[in-house]
């Protein structure tokens, strides 16, 4: 446990002393719950259309694949045509693209960012390293199967996939969302214990609450 | 001010028309900006999809009461600004709830949403939100200075604080517009206008490309959707005020659509040409270039 996360007595600006327990006070520890479609089928269909047409990607590049995401914003590929845009904060994003290899150190940040995103949320694994480790299959500090740690909706194979492949993957993801089959957030909530156990198996310096949003 | 119950549905109709016009216009503007960058740009219905998606997000979290109220204040600022200013001059249906002193109220409403956001974003506890709010407030305040001076000049010129009377005084040919009768006031106001439209070069406060997205960092799902709704209404409402004060108002919806489009295009054209200012640069810019015009305008009247 890092010293700044330990319980301590803090003196406020008005001279009043109070106890701070960062893990409990600064994070919400409630585990995620399954949130099924709350409305009638026709409204849910409309929402699914809107979700598919408005994909906000979290601007978080984990590996070398991050460099393949950027050209999508440029005139050559122009992903904005497909309703895709990048958001700087996980709160507003729906789609997390794990772009390439994921080191254990980054996995920790990825989990925290993923948990801060709101339901429904989607994960796309970009590149072979997210499927089976790819060229990092015998590395000591990268994870091999992304699906063990986060619920993945779609994989894009290749090393590296070209931006066109990423664009095609996004179009494919839109079909999944429109069919109402992209329920990754609910799968994560359902199998929460299993995902946490897997995550804790590789992250040895676990110094955060089990669920932090 | 005489009040009639019928004004309420009429005002809601105004709101509905302006909301949809704002959705399409903002998408069109984004497309124009994209074409300047040689991109194809978003589909014209993109704003509807974004808005629906955000209203359709299933989970949301809160940081406290002000966090709830921030977006509500913001939307109230936009809607209030629109409702208390006559949209269509001479039309009983679309004069909304305007009354004799509505110019002062409009000035207040322009600022109201920003203050609400400051409180809401402050409660979210995110450092980026706090930084964004302080930067935003300082920039908006200085952008407001020339606008306020211009409004004083116009109010002095026409000896009234009623927007309807100001529009009435500008009727009868475009040479009667404030644009030609008091060009300095319009120059000051238009420079201030650039600063409050949330477009480059003055959008460093909440540009998504900057590392802190600014006040809305923690806002998501329905909160964000409320703010997006305001984002569609507020620029149009603000342009309505400008159109009424400086460009002769609009006597019918087609004229309204055209005038609003061209006034909006002023900030777009500036925005696609110039890169972003830092906040301290833009503050200096407003004080050096815009405020003197406002002072001259007040002195000339």
């Amino acid at each position: 446990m890092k010293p700044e996360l330990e319980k301590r007595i803090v003196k406020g600006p008005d001279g009043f002393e109070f106890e701070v327990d960062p893990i409990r006070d600064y994070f919400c520890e409630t585990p995620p719950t399954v949130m099924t479609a709350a409305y009638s089928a026709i409204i849910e269909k409309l929402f699914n259309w809107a979700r598919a047409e408005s994909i906000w990607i979290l601007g978080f590049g984990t590996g070398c694949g991050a460099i393949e995401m950027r050209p999508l914003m440029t005139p050559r590929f122009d992903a904005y045509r497909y309703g895709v845009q990048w958001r700087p904060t996980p709160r507003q994003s729906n789609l997390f693209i794990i772009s390439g290899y994921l080191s254990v150190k980054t996995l920790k940040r990825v989990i925290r960012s993923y948990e801060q995103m709101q339901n429904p949320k989607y994960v796309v694994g970009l590149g072979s390293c997210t499927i089976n480790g790819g060229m990092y299959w015998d590395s000591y500090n990268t994870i091999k199967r992304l699906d063990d740690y986060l619920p993945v909706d779609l994989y894009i194979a290749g090393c590296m996939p070209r931006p066109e492949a990423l664009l095609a993957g996004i179009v494919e993801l839109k079909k999944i969302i429109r069919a109402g089959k992209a329920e990754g957030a609910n799968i994560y909530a359902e199998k929460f214990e299993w995902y946490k156990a897997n995550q804790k198996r590789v992250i040895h310096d676990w110094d955060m609450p089990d669920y932090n949003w | 001010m005489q009040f009639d119950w019928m004004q309420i549905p009429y005002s809601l109709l105004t709101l509905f028309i302006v909301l949809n016009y704002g959705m399409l216009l903002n998408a069109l503007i984004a497309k124009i900006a994209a074409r300047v960058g040689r991109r194809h740009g978003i589909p014209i219905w993109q704003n509807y999809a974004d808005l629906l998606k955000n209203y359709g997000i299933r989970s949301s979290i809160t940081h406290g009461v002000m966090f709830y109220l921030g977006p509500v204040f913001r939307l109230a600022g936009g809607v209030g600004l629109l409702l208390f200013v006559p949209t269509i001059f001479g039309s009983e249906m679309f004069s909304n709830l305007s009354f004799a002193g509505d110019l002062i109220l409009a000035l207040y409403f322009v600022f109201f949403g920003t203050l609400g956001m400051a409180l809401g974003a402050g409660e979210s506890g995110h450092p980026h939100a706090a930084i964004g709010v302080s930067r935003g407030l300082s920039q908006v305040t200085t952008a407001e200075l020339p606008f306020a001076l211009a409004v004083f000049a116009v109010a002095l010129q026409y000896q009234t604080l009623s927007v309807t009377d100001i529009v009435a005084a500008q009727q009868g040919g475009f040479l009667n517009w404030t644009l030609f009768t008091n060009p300095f006031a319009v120059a000051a106001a238009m420079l201030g206008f650039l600063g409050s439209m949330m477009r480059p070069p003055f959008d460093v406060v909440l540009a998504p490309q900057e590392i802190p997205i600014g006040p809305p960092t923690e806002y998501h799902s329905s909160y964000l959707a409320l703010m997006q709704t305001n984002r569609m209404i507020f620029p149009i409402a603000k342009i309505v005020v400008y159109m009424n004060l400086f460009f002769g108002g609009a006597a019918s919806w087609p004229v309204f659509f055209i005038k609003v489009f061209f006034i909006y295009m002023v900030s777009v054209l500036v925005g696609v040409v110039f890169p972003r200012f830092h906040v301290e640069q833009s503050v200096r810019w407003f004080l050096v270039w815009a405020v003197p015009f406002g002072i001259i305008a007040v002195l000339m009247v």
Side-chain angles (χ1 to χ4, degrees):
Chain A
M1 188 71 76
K2 284 177 189 154
E4 67 262 28
L5 288 172
E6 276 163 7
K7 249 191 221 178
R8 58 183 183 271
I9 306 284
V10 175
K11 197 172 180 184
D14 48 358
F16 186 71
E17 286 191 346
F18 54 94
E19 196 189 67
V20 171
D21 183 0
I23 294 260
R24 291 190 157 270
D25 294 353
Y26 297 164
F27 301 99
C28 176
E29 280 193 304
T30 336
T33 48
V34 177
M35 292 182 153
T36 44
Y39 305 98
S40 62
I42 187 160
I43 295 181
E44 202 57 35
K45 264 187 188 162
L46 179 67
F47 276 155
N48 279 337
W49 169 81
R51 282 165 193 151
E53 289 304 318
S54 158
I55 291 179
W56 291 7
I57 302 178
L58 179 62
F60 186 163
T62 61
C64 38
I67 203 118
E68 306 291 327
M69 273 207 285
R70 303 298 173 255
L72 292 189
M73 303 180 201
T74 61
R76 179 151 181 188
F77 298 103
D78 189 22
Y80 295 95
R81 281 177 297 165
Y82 299 101
V84 174
Q85 53 170 300
W86 281 261
R87 305 302 290 185
T89 150
R91 292 278 186 228
Q92 300 172 2
S93 323
N94 314 107
L95 174 59
F96 203 147
I97 294 184
I98 305 295
S99 45
Y101 66 88
L102 195 53
S103 71
V104 173
K105 195 174 167 183
T106 320
L107 176 66
K108 207 162 142 187
R109 277 78 187 169
V110 164
I111 291 166
R112 291 190 62 167
S113 307
Y114 178 74
E115 288 177 351
Q116 285 181 33
M117 288 160 67
Q118 301 296 319
N119 187 347
K121 47 191 171 187
Y122 323 108
V123 176
V124 165
L126 177 68
S128 304
C129 351
T130 57
I131 301 172
N132 59 5
M135 65 183 278
Y136 298 94
W137 65 276
D138 59 350
S139 163
Y140 64 98
N141 65 350
T142 59
I143 59 158
K144 285 165 193 53
R145 275 191 61 191
L146 177 61
D147 210 20
D148 286 344
Y149 309 96
L150 294 174
V152 181
D153 291 285
L154 187 91
Y155 285 112
I156 300 167
C159 182
M160 281 309 296
R162 294 256 317 145
E164 291 97 326
L166 183 52
L167 213 48
I170 288 172
V171 172
E172 205 59 37
L173 177 72
K174 285 169 84 164
K175 287 181 196 156
I176 300 174
I177 298 173
R178 199 173 299 185
K181 286 179 188 157
E183 292 291 349
N186 285 339
I187 296 171
Y188 190 69
E190 258 169 44
K191 297 165 70 181
F192 188 60
E193 316 267 294
W194 184 76
Y195 280 117
K196 274 297 146 189
N198 284 344
Q199 290 164 4
K200 283 186 177 170
R201 196 172 306 133
V202 290
I203 301 175
H204 297 302
D205 56 337
W206 186 276
D207 52 359
M208 52 188 185
D210 275 0
Y211 192 63
N212 40 90
W213 40 347
Chain B
M1 170 195 183
Q2 76 278 24
F3 179 74
D4 189 1
W5 286 104
M6 202 49 206
Q7 282 175 330
I8 291 176
Y10 283 159
S11 304
L12 291 178
L13 180 62
T14 313
L15 193 59
F16 178 76
I17 295 174
V18 167
L19 175 63
N20 285 293
Y21 179 58
M23 297 270 232
L24 296 174
L25 182 64
N26 275 323
L28 182 66
I29 299 276
K31 266 184 110 65
I32 292 172
R35 289 294 163 91
V36 174
R38 291 190 144 190
R39 286 189 297 114
H40 195 270
I42 58 175
I44 199 87
W45 68 82
Q46 183 65 50
N47 286 328
Y48 290 95
D50 285 348
L51 200 59
L52 263 180
K53 194 251 340 230
N54 275 329
Y55 278 120
I57 282 182
R58 294 181 190 137
S59 64
S60 64
I61 57 158
T62 178
H63 293 280
V65 177
M66 267 327 289
F67 188 73
Y68 270 109
L69 289 180
V72 177
F73 278 17
R74 194 105 172 98
L75 185 61
V79 172
L81 181 60
L82 182 67
L83 287 190
F84 284 101
V85 169
T87 316
I88 302 294
F89 171 70
S91 154
E92 205 172 302
M93 275 177 85
F94 300 110
S95 285
N96 301 334
L97 306 169
S98 57
F99 62 101
D102 49 6
L103 188 51
I104 297 294
L105 193 66
L107 265 186
Y108 173 68
F109 267 130
V110 170
F111 219 85
F112 182 71
T114 322
L115 291 176
M117 265 318 289
L119 295 170
E123 190 161 24
S124 76
H126 199 287
H128 286 170
I131 294 170
V133 160
S134 54
R135 286 157 42 135
L137 274 178
S138 46
Q139 182 174 312
V140 168
T141 313
T142 42
E144 204 81 336
L145 263 179
F147 177 56
L149 285 170
V151 167
F152 294 150
V154 169
L156 284 172
Q157 182 188 355
Y158 298 112
Q159 292 295 316
T160 175
L161 283 172
S162 159
V163 177
T164 312
D165 290 349
I166 291 176
V167 181
Q170 298 178 53
Q171 296 306 305
F174 64 89
L175 284 176
N176 289 350
W177 293 359
T178 317
L179 176 62
F180 295 103
T181 56
N182 194 350
F184 284 106
V186 179
M190 288 315 283
L191 294 180
F193 174 74
L194 298 178
S196 58
M197 285 305 280
M198 298 187 279
R199 296 199 63 83
F202 300 106
D203 70 338
V204 75
V205 174
L206 40 69
Q209 295 90 339
E210 303 294 329
I211 295 168
I213 184 176
T217 309
E218 277 289 298
Y219 281 102
H220 53 274
S221 64
S222 312
Y223 307 114
L224 189 66
L226 271 187
M227 288 164 58
Q228 279 183 308
T229 316
N230 178 63
R231 199 77 191 261
M232 303 300 143
I233 296 174
F234 187 70
I236 311 290
K238 204 166 156 63
I239 292 172
V240 171
V241 176
Y242 273 79
M243 182 183 74
N244 282 333
L245 291 183
F246 309 120
F247 300 98
S252 65
W253 280 109
V255 177
F256 171 88
F257 291 147
I258 292 168
K259 278 192 180 174
V260 168
F261 175 76
F262 279 110
I263 299 175
Y264 205 145
M265 279 307 282
V266 172
S267 76
V268 175
L269 290 180
V270 173
V272 296
V273 175
F274 292 100
R276 283 195 191 100
F277 277 145
H278 288 178
V279 172
E280 73 272 14
Q281 288 171 329
S282 60
V283 165
R284 205 175 303 135
W285 191 86
F286 283 124
L287 293 180
V288 170
W289 295 105
V291 171
F293 277 120
I295 295 173
I296 292 172
V298 173
L299 289 180
M300 296 259 289
V301 176

